[in-house]
Amino acid sequence: METIILKETDASRRLLVAFAHPDDESFGPAGTIIHYANRGVAVHYVCATRGEAGHVDPELLKGYSSVADLRTKELECAARHLGLAGVHLLDYHDSGMENAPENQNPASLYQAPLENVVEEITRLIRQIRPQVVITFDRTGGYFHPDHVKMHSATTLAFHAAADPGRFTQQLEQGLPAYEPQKLYYIAFPQAWVKLAVKILPLFGQDPAALGHNKDIDLRRVADEKQTLTTKIDISSCYEASQQASQCYASQGAGSARIPRFVARWLFRFDRYTRIVPPFPDGQIERDLFAGIDE
């Protein structure tokens, strides 16, 4: 594991975001990260891999020793724009998409024993002591195996961190059990997905075969059920989130052709499902730290 501390802080409020790859944080809840970092919250990013399996234009690799090196530098760039307090790299190998050859790499996150990943995230929760934890939902957004693995591992670690009977060697090393107060899963607007499934064929695209390798099935994603409990207004964070995204030139940052004013309107909220504690049906929460006991 490698930890990169970007700013020292003794903030009373702490947020832990746990995803799989460099860029998940910027193409995902960037607005939320910026929103809370700007309000003095210490936001830490747990990143499971260095994105080695991602497609990268060979021209962009000039000056870098590997894809992992390039994408780590992109992550460090994005982290500064996001205002992250720290980045924690678990250093598993990127597993690639479902059924990709990289799935069989013994160093991949896909092949890693789940208990090992849970232990590492538990250690970070006990070190950082976040009140709020964010990770993927059970689909990982689009069934990427690394996303799904981080969903499972982070959810288990959220509960394990509070149990003094779990990973007792950490307690012996001076990391007492710690119970975060809230757990959230990313909730992507299903209405947008269903609309895209209908519209893409009009432009000659198969919604069941998207992405560089045609391995993203939007129809499968559209069939998933989500419960929206929480909406965070991130409209004031748009410019900073775009700057973070622009750090990922290797992943096609800036390739979208959506007019800026349309993008500002479309992406004015980040959406979540609150898992712990359960949230009343029919209500919408507007602050991840609402009700937090500091």
Side-chain angles (χ1 to χ4, degrees), residues 149-180:
K149 188 73 163 269
M150 282 302 284
H151 155 78
S152 299
T154 304
T155 301
L156 291 169
F158 179 92
H159 297 289
D163 182 353
R166 295 279 277 143
F167 308 119
T168 55
Q169 70 277 15
Q170 295 179 4
L171 278 65
E172 295 164 2
Q173 294 164 2
L175 291 176
Y178 173 79
E179 183 176 11

Side-chain angles (χ1 to χ4, degrees), residues 50-229:
R50 295 178 188 259
E52 298 92 338
H55 174 76
V56 173
D57 186 331
E59 285 293 312
L60 294 173
L61 283 171
K62 291 180 179 177
Y64 297 95
S65 61
S66 64
V67 172
D69 183 30
L70 166 61
R71 296 196 66 185
T72 301
K73 293 298 190 295
E74 290 179 330
L75 171 56
E76 292 173 4
C77 168
R80 290 189 288 273
H81 289 294
L82 295 170
L84 288 170
V87 174
H88 310 269
L89 290 150
L90 302 186
D91 269 337
Y92 291 100
H93 197 281
D94 186 349
S95 309
M97 291 292 289
E98 282 186 295
N99 304 313
E102 290 89 348
N103 289 180
Q104 304 311 312
N105 186 329
S108 70
L109 181 60
Y110 182 78
Q111 293 291 337
L114 180 61
E115 186 75 348
N116 291 2
V117 187
V118 173
E119 181 177 4
E120 291 186 89
I121 300 173
T122 298
R123 176 180 294 277
L124 287 168
I125 291 174
R126 288 173 173 173
Q127 285 177 344
I128 296 165
R129 302 175 69 80
Q131 292 98 344
V132 179
V133 176
I134 296 173
T135 191
F136 298 109
D137 72 354
R138 72 172 197 88
T139 73
Y142 54 93
F143 299 96
H144 191 299
D146 285 345
H147 293 196
V148 173
K149 188 73 163 269
M150 282 302 284
H151 155 78
S152 299
T154 304
T155 301
L156 291 169
F158 179 92
H159 297 289
D163 182 353
R166 295 279 277 143
F167 308 119
T168 55
Q169 70 277 15
Q170 295 179 4
L171 278 65
E172 295 164 2
Q173 294 164 2
L175 291 176
Y178 173 79
E179 183 176 11
Q181 297 176 46
K182 300 172 92 174
L183 174 64
Y184 291 90
Y185 295 161
I186 296 289
F188 192 79
Q190 287 297 92
W192 294 7
V193 179
K194 293 180 187 297
L195 182 61
V197 167
K198 293 179 179 178
I199 290 177
L200 285 170
L202 302 177
F203 295 91
Q205 296 191 57
D206 181 358
L210 297 176
H212 179 76
N213 296 316
K214 308 298 182 185
D215 48 11
I216 297 176
D217 185 349
L218 214 57
R219 293 187 189 277
R220 185 180 175 193
V221 175
D223 287 339
E224 289 296 315
K225 298 289 190 293
Q226 284 187 339
T227 301
L228 177 65
T229 66

Side-chain angles (χ1 to χ4, degrees), residues 251-280:
Q251 301 306 299
S255 60
R257 294 292 183 264
I258 303 174
R260 184 174 291 266
F261 75 94
V262 175
R264 276 182 173 276
W265 183 84
L266 285 175
F267 304 119
R268 67 193 188 282
F269 294 108
D270 277 347
R271 297 162 171 83
Y272 300 92
T273 302
R274 195 174 93 185
I275 304 301
V276 179
F279 198 72

